[in-house]
């Protein structure tokens, strides 16, 4: 599993020197002709803003996404929208109300089913897909796994309540993901509400709505009284036009798992969002590390489909197991290939788990002993992550942990590789370092070893929370 720096640069159409520099910043010294391992290469590829796709071990180890689509291949696709906002501001009500605006619903004849996302047809005939799990947790969980499914966020703010903590969190998440926002000021049917106040409050968070001279669309709605839903849909269409959303429907399907479950009667069931290509009944797919032949495909109206174009969420049956939300799925040419990709992904997951298990040593054992003995009242954590969204999500998640005996404190949460100053900070505060999809510079690694600072490596958010929880409960298994 290796690739030379030059070869990697060629595949990214980047300059060799730039790749060498990027490696240097990550603490890896390499010349153009030297080989680097696949994990390191993957980090570099991400750093250059490309998505990584390792197809199989026998084939190209690190390739950029299959053949790039040319302009002529691309066709317009419907926008995919996520609704976020503070609890009780009306996210669920709005999702329900928008779903009922579907002008194609009456011809469907099927029965509405909740599969994690739905698509509606608006009066002008265009379509919009909504992710049906409101809130930012699903959004960040997906992003943390490298999936980006949302084209825009509708931020719901109740006119009677205004900007609240989760509103601000949602704004941060959308910004971190670089996804545009549309503000829906909800509950305007309530007597005495002041939508103007909401606009002013949003200003403090750098959201300037159009009526105040900014470029964020804002619509005053009532989800329950069904006021201005058409205007909201128009705003979504307008934003979609600006984004010029396109995909090539004429290629093997690729996309993201939105939701999954083990159904008693039907076996593993996954809702996937097709993002490229067209998924067909009978296709052989790999979703996460699971694979299988698509035995049946159903839409959110319970209709059996033969094919699913880009932006359509569908429930698929026939996988060998249950993949995770945020996992990538691809259609492949045959079963042998599916097995190969699946085995590769399984191995990679094992390697990462092993690396994480091997990483924690030294003072962690001491810390556990102190916690068990009731001597230590706090677990301090330094978080470093590859992207802002993940750093924030982990910070927020860890900040909520802790019990009466032991508190969890996030000292510092930032984006980037782990440096000597992180080690010094951790050492000074007896903290554990959580590394999310990032590495330590070699100097930092040496210092950590010398000072007995623990760096724990992760690539899945809930595993971070699980481990830290075990830590403060004094139950983390000692690492061998
Ligand atoms: P969520 O937590 O953001 O999903 O909020 P919900 O959709 O569950 O709504 C919270 C409460 O606000 C419920 O009691 C809704 O009936 C109510 N609600 C939602 N939208 C409106 C609205 O437009 N007008 C009024 N008056 N109440 C609303």
């Amino acid at each position: 599993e290796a690739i030379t720096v030059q070869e990697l640069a060629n595949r990214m159409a980047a300059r060799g020197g730039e790749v060498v520099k990027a490696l240097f910043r990550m603490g890896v010294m390499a010349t153009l002709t030297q080989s680097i391992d696949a994990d390191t290469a993957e980090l570099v590829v991400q750093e250059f803003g490309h998505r990584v796709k390792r197809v199989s071990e026998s084939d190209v180890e690190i390739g950029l996404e299959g053949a790039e689509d040319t302009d002529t291949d691309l066709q317009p696709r419907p926008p995919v929208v996520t609704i976020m906002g503070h609890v009780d501001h009306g996210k669920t009500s709005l999702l329900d109300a928008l779903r009922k605006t579907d002008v194609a619903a009456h011809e469907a004849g099927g029965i509405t089913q909740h599969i994690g996302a739905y698509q509606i047809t608006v009066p002008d005939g265009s379509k919009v897909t909504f992710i049906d799990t409101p809130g930012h947790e699903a959004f960040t969980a997906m992003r943390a796994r490298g999936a980006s499914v949302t084209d825009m966020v509708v931020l719901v703010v109740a006119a009677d309540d205004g900007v609240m903590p989760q509103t601000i969190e949602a704004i941060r998440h959308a910004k971190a993901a670089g996804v545009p926002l549309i503000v829906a000021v909800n509950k305007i049917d309530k007597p005495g509400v002041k939508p103007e106040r909401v606009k002013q409050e949003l200003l403090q968070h750098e959201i300037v709505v159009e009526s105040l001279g900014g470029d964020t669309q804002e619509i005053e709605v009532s989800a329950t009284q069904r006021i201005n839903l058409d205007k909201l849909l128009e705003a979504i269409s307008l934003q979609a036009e600006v984004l010029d959303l396109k995909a090539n429907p004429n290629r093997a399907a690729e996309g993201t798992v939105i939701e999954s479950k083990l159904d008693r009667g039907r076996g593993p069931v996954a809702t996937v969002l097709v993002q490229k290509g067209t998924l067909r009944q009978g296709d052989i797919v790999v979703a996460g590390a699971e694979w299988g032949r698509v035995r049946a495909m159903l839409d959110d109206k319970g209709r059996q489909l033969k094919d699913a174009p880009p932006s359509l969420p569908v429930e698929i049956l026939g996988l060998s197991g249950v993949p995770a939300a945020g996992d990538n799925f691809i259609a492949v040419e045959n079963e042998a290939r599916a097995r190969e990709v699946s085995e590769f992904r399984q191995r990679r997951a094992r390697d990462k788990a092993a690396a994480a298990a091997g990483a924690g040593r030294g003072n962690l054992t001491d810390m556990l002993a102190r916690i068990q003995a009731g001597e230590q009242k706090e677990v301090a954590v330094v978080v470093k992550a590859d992207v802002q969204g993940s750093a924030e999500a982990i910070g927020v998640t860890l900040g909520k942990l802790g019990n009466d005996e032991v508190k969890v404190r996030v000292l510092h949460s930032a984006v980037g590789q782990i440096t000597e100053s992180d080690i010094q900070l951790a050492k000074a505060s007896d903290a554990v370092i959580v590394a999310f999809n990032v590495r330590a510079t070699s100097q930092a690694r040496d210092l950590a070893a010398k000072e007995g600072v623990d760096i724990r490596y992760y690539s899945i958010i809930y595993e971070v929370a699980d481990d830290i929880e075990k830590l403060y409960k004094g139950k983390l298994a000692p690492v061998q």
Side-chain angles (χ1 to χ4, degrees):
E1 280 201 35
I3 184 170
T4 67
V5 174
Q6 182 66 62
E7 172 66 19
L8 182 61
N10 292 348
R11 290 209 199 146
M12 294 191 298
R15 260 180 247 198
E18 293 299 316
V19 177
V20 170
K21 264 194 236 158
L23 282 164
F24 182 79
R25 283 197 298 273
M26 290 162 52
V28 179
M29 310 292 165
T31 61
L32 287 179
T33 51
Q34 271 172 346
S35 291
I36 52 175
D37 66 52
D39 275 341
T40 309
E42 188 168 326
L43 289 174
V44 175
V45 171
Q46 281 164 352
E47 184 135 342
F48 276 76
H50 296 294
R51 245 183 82 202
V52 184
K53 186 152 158 193
R54 288 204 223 164
V55 183
S56 76
E57 276 169 322
S58 55
D59 201 339
V60 196
E61 280 302 330
I62 309 109
L64 300 178
E65 294 205 46
E68 283 304 314
D69 295 316
T70 61
D71 278 355
T72 49
D73 298 330
L74 296 173
Q75 293 177 23
R77 64 165 179 85
V80 179
V81 182
T82 298
I83 298 196
M84 303 212 267
H86 196 70
V87 63
D88 278 345
H89 280 199
K91 298 179 292 292
T92 313
S93 307
L94 192 58
L95 276 163
D96 289 346
L98 288 166
R99 188 172 190 150
K100 292 198 190 102
T101 65
D102 189 0
V103 297
H106 62 278
E107 350 170 321
I111 302 160
T112 298
Q113 49 163 11
H114 283 270
I115 64 169
Y118 64 81
Q119 189 175 76
I120 61 169
T121 304
V122 297
D124 73 3
S126 62
K127 294 172 167 38
V128 183
T129 299
F130 289 95
I131 302 293
D132 202 359
T133 40
H136 57 257
E137 291 197 4
F139 183 78
T140 37
M142 291 224 188
R143 285 194 62 225
R145 315 195 102 231
S148 75
V149 298
T150 300
D151 299 310
M152 66 185 88
V153 165
V154 168
L155 179 68
V156 180
V157 190
D160 58 343
D161 207 19
V163 170
M164 298 299 279
Q166 285 168 292
T167 318
I168 299 165
E169 265 183 48
I171 294 171
R172 288 217 191 105
H173 289 309
K175 280 195 176 159
V179 171
L181 276 177
I182 295 173
V183 176
V185 180
N186 190 31
K187 308 198 186 185
I188 53 150
D189 56 301
K190 285 197 160 186
V193 294
K194 299 189 182 66
E196 291 306 318
R197 203 194 70 192
V198 174
K199 297 173 196 175
Q200 292 299 331
E201 288 171 351
L202 286 170
L203 266 183
Q204 291 164 20
H205 302 280
E206 286 151 52
I207 301 290
V208 189
V209 298
E210 283 177 339
S211 59
L212 297 181
D215 53 11
T216 302
Q217 299 189 79
E218 116 258 22
I219 317 290
E220 293 177 7
V221 300
S222 164
T224 50
Q225 298 305 309
R226 313 182 57 78
I227 299 168
N228 287 346
L229 298 179
D230 52 342
K231 293 219 171 74
L232 180 56
L233 289 168
E234 273 167 32
I236 290 170
S237 296
L238 200 64
Q239 183 67 65
E241 258 172 56
V242 172
L243 293 172
D244 194 23
L245 304 167
K246 285 181 174 163
N248 176 7
N250 301 311
R251 59 181 284 168
E254 182 177 343
T256 301
V257 176
I258 302 289
E259 214 175 81
S260 58
K261 63 182 176 199
L262 188 60
D263 186 286
R264 262 183 188 219
R266 302 185 296 167
V269 178
T271 297
V272 298
L273 177 73
V274 179
Q275 293 174 291
K276 278 184 175 180
T278 298
L279 183 62
R280 299 200 158 79
Q281 188 187 356
D283 275 355
I284 294 163
V285 297
V286 187
E290 308 297 338
W291 69 276
R293 186 182 288 276
V294 178
R295 207 169 67 222
M297 207 155 65
L298 298 154
D299 69 5
D300 57 89
K301 294 160 191 90
R303 294 178 295 192
Q304 292 257 6
L305 300 182
K306 290 266 178 276
D307 39 47
S311 294
L312 188 68
V314 284
E315 206 177 51
I316 58 170
L317 313 187
L319 288 174
S320 51
V322 183
D327 277 347
N328 159 276
F329 90 87
I330 44 168
V332 294
E333 54 269 43
N334 54 41
E335 293 197 359
R337 175 61 149 218
R339 253 191 224 105
E340 205 176 32
V341 176
S342 154
E343 277 165 19
F344 176 72
R345 288 179 174 182
Q346 278 170 24
R347 197 159 4 187
R348 188 168 60 163
R350 269 201 306 273
D351 288 351
K352 288 207 167 154
R361 288 192 81 114
N363 78 337
L364 200 58
T365 327
D366 302 344
M367 191 192 283
L368 274 166
R370 288 197 300 273
I371 290 170
Q372 276 159 353
E375 289 163 17
Q376 182 158 345
K377 305 284 177 218
E378 186 182 77
V379 171
V381 189
V382 172
V383 179
K384 290 306 281 280
D386 55 343
V387 293
Q388 188 62 30
S390 305
E392 274 174 17
I394 294 168
V396 169
T397 309
L398 296 185
K400 288 184 195 149
L401 296 179
N403 55 25
D404 288 340
E405 283 89 40
V406 186
K407 303 274 171 264
V408 175
R409 192 156 66 98
V410 180
L411 291 177
H412 178 56
S413 158
V415 172
Q417 62 186 339
I418 295 154
T419 62
E420 286 163 287
S421 92
D422 296 317
I423 306 292
Q424 279 148 0
L425 174 66
K427 174 69 187 166
S429 333
D430 233 349
V432 176
I433 298 184
V434 164
F436 191 79
N437 285 336
V438 292
R439 299 187 156 201
T441 64
S442 52
Q443 296 90 326
R445 236 172 302 160
D446 291 347
L447 187 63
K450 190 165 130 237
E451 301 285 12
V453 169
D454 291 294
I455 307 176
R456 299 182 70 88
Y457 296 90
Y458 300 90
S459 55
I460 300 174
I461 286 199
Y462 68 77
E463 284 180 357
V464 182
D466 277 3
D467 265 8
I468 300 297
E469 192 164 16
K470 282 188 202 132
L471 184 59
Y472 73 75
K473 288 185 176 157
K475 284 188 193 139
L476 193 66
V479 252
Q480 302 311 308

